Amino acid sequence: MRSLVFKSIVSATAIVLSLTACTSGRDDKGDSAAPQLVPISELAGLTLRVGDQKGGTESLLRAAGELDNAPYKIEFSTFTFGPPQIEALTAGKIDFAVTGNTPPIFGAASKARIKVVSGYTNDASGDQILVADASPIHSVADLRGKKVVVGKGSSAHGNLLLQLQKANLTIKDIQPIFLQPADAFTALSQGQADAWAIWDPYTALAQKQLKVRTLATATGVANGYGFGVAAQVALRDTRRNTALSDLVQRIARASVWAQAHPQEWYGKYAAAIGIDPAAAELAQSRSLRLSIPLDSEVNASEQKLADLFAQSGQIQGTLIFSDFVDDRFDNALKQFFAKSQ
C-alpha cells in the first residue's frame, strides 16, 4: 500500500497537462530586447505567478526569509514536476518556475514560448535509478527487457537515457513506463515495475519507506543542472521583468542561506512539505541547487542531452538549446556565483 506520507506530498499537486494544445505554432517574439528595469517601488500591486514543485521554491524562499519583504505579491501554484510547469508557462498561466535539466528541452522541442533565465547546479546524486532490494538486477545493463517507470520529460528521464547510453543500451532495449511519482512508487513497491528512475525528494522518500537499492546515481553522468524558466510574455512586460530579476536574486540568496544553515533548512523543509525529517535531510543534503551562470558550458551540456533525446526518438526533430536561453539576469546574479562553485 502506498505510504500516507508519500501520498500527501503529491495529492495536492495541480496538474495542467491539458495546456499542451498551445505549445507550438505561434509567432515567437521572445528575443526582443529586454525592457528597462523599473524602480522596485513601482511593483506594488503586481502579482507574480510562480510555479512550484512540492518542497521547492516557496519553502526555500520562506525558510530563508526572502518572502518577508517582497515588494510584489507572489502567487504559488504547485505541480508534480517540470513538464506541466513548462506547459503552464507557455499557456500564460504562470510567469516563472524552477525545473530540472530536462523539461526545458521538451519545451524547446515543442516550441514552447519560454526562456531559461537562471541556472542552478548540484552533483545530481539525488537523481537515481532504484530497484527492490531483493531484485536480481545489479547493473544498468541488467535492465535490458525490464520495466522501468519514469516521469516523461523529467530530469530522471534524462538520467535514464544517459545511464542506458553509458551501458551501451538505448530506450528501445527496455520497457519504459511513463508514470507520475505516486503511481511509480506504487508500481515499484508492488512489484509491477523492475526499476524506477526518480529525483529527490521522492528518491529519499522511497529510500526511507521501501526496501530499495540504488542501481545508479546521476553523479558524473548527468549534469545536475536546474533552470529558472520564464514565460516570454512576462519577460516582455516591464514590471514583470523587473520582478523576475528580483525573484531570481532572492532564490539565489536563499540557496546560499540554506547551504550555510543546513540543519535549520532541513527542519524547515520537512515541516513545510510534511515529510519525515530524516527523508528531508537526505534529500536536501544532496539536492540543494546553487546558482551558476548561463554560460557556454551549460549550453553545450544541455545541447548534448537534447541531441540524445532526439537521437533516441524521445523528442521530434532537432533544436538549438541556446535559442531558448536568455542571460539577461546573469549580471545581477554574478555576486552569488563565486559562493556556489
Side-chain angles (χ1 to χ4, degrees):
M1 181 178 293
R2 186 185 312 167
S3 163
L4 292 178
V5 173
F6 187 90
K7 185 175 181 181
S8 70
I9 197 174
V10 293
S11 62
T13 54
I15 307 300
V16 291
L17 294 174
S18 61
L19 301 175
T20 55
C22 49
T23 56
S24 62
R26 305 218 182 155
D27 293 339
D28 182 353
K29 298 179 181 178
D31 291 316
S32 56
Q36 190 73 27
L37 297 180
V38 301
I40 290 292
S41 59
E42 295 186 17
L43 301 183
L46 175 70
T47 297
L48 197 65
R49 302 163 302 167
V50 176
D52 195 13
Q53 296 181 44
K54 197 70 173 178
T57 307
E58 182 179 8
S59 61
L60 177 63
L61 289 169
R62 195 170 300 283
E66 290 293 339
L67 296 181
D68 296 344
N69 62 347
Y72 47 86
K73 180 181 177 182
I74 302 177
E75 179 182 274
F76 291 98
S77 299
T78 305
F79 298 80
T80 302
F81 66 145
Q85 291 179 308
I86 299 297
E87 294 159 7
L89 286 162
T90 290
K93 301 297 184 182
I94 58 175
D95 302 309
F96 178 86
V98 175
T99 78
N101 63 358
T102 299
I105 290 174
F106 269 66
S110 63
K111 297 181 174 57
R113 295 183 295 280
I114 58 170
K115 290 290 182 181
V116 169
V117 295
S118 57
Y120 312 96
T121 192
N122 60 32
D123 68 3
S125 58
D127 260 327
Q128 300 188 15
I129 300 177
L130 304 175
V131 296
D133 190 54
S135 171
I137 298 171
H138 291 281
S139 71
V140 174
D142 292 340
L143 291 177
R144 185 186 294 273
K146 303 300 184 182
K147 297 177 181 178
V148 182
V149 288
V150 64
K152 187 172 186 178
S154 67
S155 62
H157 192 180
N159 180 39
L160 177 60
L161 289 191
L162 290 165
Q163 298 286 357
L164 291 171
Q165 182 185 54
K166 183 180 178 182
N168 296 314
L169 298 176
T170 71
I171 197 77
K172 295 179 181 179
D173 293 314
I174 66 170
Q175 298 181 56
I177 302 172
F178 298 115
L179 294 177
Q180 300 291 327
D183 294 327
F185 182 97
T186 300
L188 185 67
S189 66
Q190 296 184 355
Q192 299 167 351
D194 299 297
W196 182 19
I198 189 57
W199 63 93
D200 271 331
Y202 304 110
T203 309
L205 286 165
Q207 290 172 325
K208 293 299 182 181
Q209 296 177 19
L210 299 176
K211 293 181 178 180
V212 294
R213 173 166 40 86
T214 298
L215 187 69
T217 73
T219 304
V221 178
N223 56 33
Y225 294 151
F227 296 107
V229 186
Q232 290 177 354
V233 65
L235 292 170
R236 292 195 294 267
D237 180 88
T238 301
R239 296 173 73 222
R240 291 190 184 279
N241 179 67
T242 301
L244 288 170
S245 177
D246 179 74
L247 177 63
V248 295
Q249 292 177 68
R250 290 175 185 272
I251 293 171
R253 193 161 49 240
S255 295
V256 171
W257 172 86
Q259 183 186 43
H261 304 84
Q263 293 303 318
E264 185 177 354
W265 165 230
Y266 301 155
K268 289 184 175 181
Y269 174 74
I273 66 174
I275 66 171
D276 178 71
E281 179 170 351
L282 179 59
Q284 285 304 308
S285 66
R286 63 192 179 192
S287 295
L288 177 69
R289 288 193 177 115
L290 297 157
S291 192
I292 56 171
L294 294 171
D295 57 17
S296 58
E297 180 179 349
V298 169
N299 284 326
S301 181
E302 282 294 291
Q303 187 62 53
K304 288 182 180 179
L305 183 58
D307 292 344
L308 179 58
F309 268 98
Q311 293 161 10
S312 65
Q314 299 297 285
I315 59 175
Q316 299 301 310
T318 58
L319 62 93
I320 305 300
F321 183 78
S322 60
D323 287 348
F324 290 82
V325 174
D326 188 325
D327 65 358
R328 68 178 65 182
F329 301 138
D330 267 13
N331 189 56
L333 289 169
K334 65 182 180 182
Q335 61 184 306
F336 304 107
F337 295 156
K339 298 176 183 178
S340 60
Q341 299 303 302

